Amino acid sequence: MITHPLPLRAQDTWAPMLIAPATLLGRKPAGVPWEVAAVFPVPALTAEQVLGETLELKAGDRLLVHGAGGITGSLLVRLAALRGAEVLATAGPHSHERVRTLGAREVIDYHDRQ
């Protein structure tokens, strides 16, 4: 199981074991190593808080995601697309196809200054 309990009581340390409410637990996919799964909760929570709480994003909204090739940016694109938003994104050229696959309608190369 993986979790990112809130509020973080001691933000200066990460523990290998802790007590957390069952509602904050998620099952680690079998094919994902612990080292990979461990980095998921923080950017996923960030993306969800931005879209759900801060922006209150809904179907039909238009969203521009800068840095969509990164971890949090990719999650923002995917979660926004799942909500039915029209997603425009900026990313490096090596990330364009992946970001489109995540749901971006258009991906702009952030190196392009035109």
Side-chain angles (χ1 to χ4, degrees):
M1 302 301 273
I2 57 176
T3 187
H4 185 297
L6 292 176
L8 294 176
R9 292 195 174 114
Q11 294 194 21
D12 58 342
T13 151
W14 293 94
M17 296 192 316
L18 59 90
I19 297 172
T23 56
L24 295 180
L25 299 176
R27 187 167 307 281
K28 179 189 80 64
V32 178
W34 282 106
E35 296 79 13
V36 174
V39 301
F40 183 76
V42 174
L45 179 62
T46 300
E48 178 55 33
Q49 287 175 330
V50 166
L51 298 177
E53 297 173 20
T54 305
L55 297 178
E56 298 179 0
L57 191 76
K58 56 193 175 303
D61 287 349
R62 189 175 286 167
L63 179 70
L64 172 61
V65 177
H66 289 290
I71 294 170
T72 305
S74 294
L75 287 164
L76 285 165
V77 170
R78 186 66 184 138
L79 291 174
L82 287 171
R83 281 182 163 87
E86 179 184 3
V87 182
L88 308 172
T90 67
H94 297 298
S95 301
H96 283 201
E97 189 56 38
R98 182 175 54 80
V99 172
R100 278 191 194 91
T101 301
L102 293 171
R105 182 178 65 89
E106 186 172 339
V107 183
I108 303 159
D109 185 345
Y110 63 77
H111 295 105
D112 188 2
R113 296 178 184 252
Q114 294 183 1

